[in-house]
Amino acid sequence: MELFLCIAAFWAFWAGGPSGALLLRCGLDACLRFSPRSAIALSSLCALCAAAASLPLRGGLRAVHGPPDRLATAGFVGGVLGRALLLMACARFPGSLALRRIQALPLLLLVLLPAKRHPPRPARAPVLAALLCAAAGGFFGAGDALLLSRLLPGGIERRRGLSSDALLVRLCAQAGALLLTLLSGAAQVFPPRMLAAAAVGAAAGALFGEYGKKRGALPSGMRAAARVYEISAALACAEQAL
C-alpha cells in the first residue's frame, strides 16, 4: 500500500498540473480502499508537501506578486474555515455515503472546469479570492490551487503549473486545515510509513514537474491520460454517491 500511495502521489503531481491534488483526491476515493475522509486527509498532506517543495524553486516569497503576508493569512484562515465546515458536516451527517453525496457534485464540477488557454485577468480582490479558494481546499482537501490558478497573477503556463501566489495560498490553507484536524481530535490514524510514502511521492512529483517545465513540456499523451483518469475518478465518486 505504501508503494502504491507513493507512485500515485508522484504521478498525480507530476502529470496533473494544477489539478494534481484533485486528481489524487478523486482517485483515492474512487478506488474504494479509502473512505472520503481518508482521501481528503491524504490529499491535503500531499498538497502541502508538493507546495512546500515547489515554492522554493519558483523563488520563494520573492516571486509572489501579491502581498505575501495577507495572502498567507487569507490562505490559513480559509483553510481552517473550510476544514471546520467539513468537520461540522461529518458530525451532522456521519458516514461515508453522506459525505460523498455532499461533495460529489462540487468535485465533479471542479474536475470539469475548463482550462484557461490564456492568462486570466487577476482578481480585483486577491485576498478575498485566496480566502474563498482556500476554504474550498480545506473542505474538499483539494481544488484550491486549481481555482487560484485562474484568479491570481504570476506563474508560467497555467495549464501546466501553478503561480507562486497559488502555491503560497495552498501551502498555508492545507497547513491550517491539517492543524485544525489535529487539534480537534478528528485526525485519522495512518501508519507512519504510509504518510511518509505519500508525502515523499507528492514532493518528488512536484519537483520532477518543475524540472520538466524547464527542460520542456510534459508529453501530451501523459497529460491526456491524467485528464481522462481524473474525469473517470470523479464520475466514479459521483456514481458511488447515488
Side-chain angles (χ1 to χ4, degrees):
M1 183 58 69
E2 290 82 4
L3 180 60
F4 162 77
L5 268 179
C6 185
I7 295 175
F10 176 88
W11 181 72
F13 286 92
W14 174 55
S19 60
L22 188 61
L23 189 155
L24 183 65
R25 157 73 177 90
C26 294
L28 292 178
D29 194 2
C31 75
L32 296 179
R33 296 283 297 182
F34 299 90
S35 67
R37 287 186 61 189
S38 299
I40 290 171
L42 290 173
S43 62
S44 291
L45 175 65
C46 290
L48 173 68
C49 295
S54 298
L55 187 58
L57 295 182
R58 296 290 188 88
L61 297 180
R62 294 174 299 176
V64 176
H65 291 70
D69 54 342
R70 295 182 182 179
L71 289 178
T73 302
F76 185 86
V77 173
V80 169
L81 291 177
R83 188 52 52 91
L85 182 61
L86 173 68
L87 296 178
M88 288 188 291
C90 291
R92 178 65 178 84
F93 305 102
S96 297
L97 182 58
L99 184 57
R100 279 196 176 100
R101 287 175 175 172
I102 292 172
Q103 294 193 339
L105 182 58
L107 280 176
L108 184 59
L109 292 177
L110 279 175
V111 168
L112 296 178
L113 193 69
K116 283 281 187 180
R117 294 189 175 275
H118 301 288
R121 294 181 179 180
R124 294 184 178 181
V127 175
L128 178 59
L131 178 67
L132 296 177
C133 294
F139 184 75
F140 296 109
D144 50 340
L146 178 64
L147 296 172
L148 286 165
S149 66
R150 303 169 63 88
L151 296 174
L152 298 184
I156 56 172
E157 297 191 20
R158 296 167 192 277
R159 289 175 294 165
R160 302 171 188 171
L162 293 173
S163 68
S164 300
D165 301 53
L167 288 173
L168 175 63
V169 175
R170 165 190 262 185
L171 178 64
C172 296
Q174 298 302 342
L178 291 173
L179 180 61
L180 177 64
T181 306
L182 291 173
L183 294 179
S184 64
Q188 293 186 307
V189 178
F190 295 96
R193 290 188 303 176
M194 181 181 292
L195 295 177
V200 169
L207 291 176
F208 272 79
E210 292 293 334
Y211 179 73
K213 294 184 188 74
K214 297 178 181 179
R215 297 281 296 180
L218 187 71
S220 58
M222 187 63 68
R223 292 199 303 272
R227 182 64 174 167
V228 170
Y229 178 80
E230 183 181 28
I231 295 175
S232 301
L235 289 173
C237 292
E239 187 272 335
Q240 293 168 19
L242 298 178

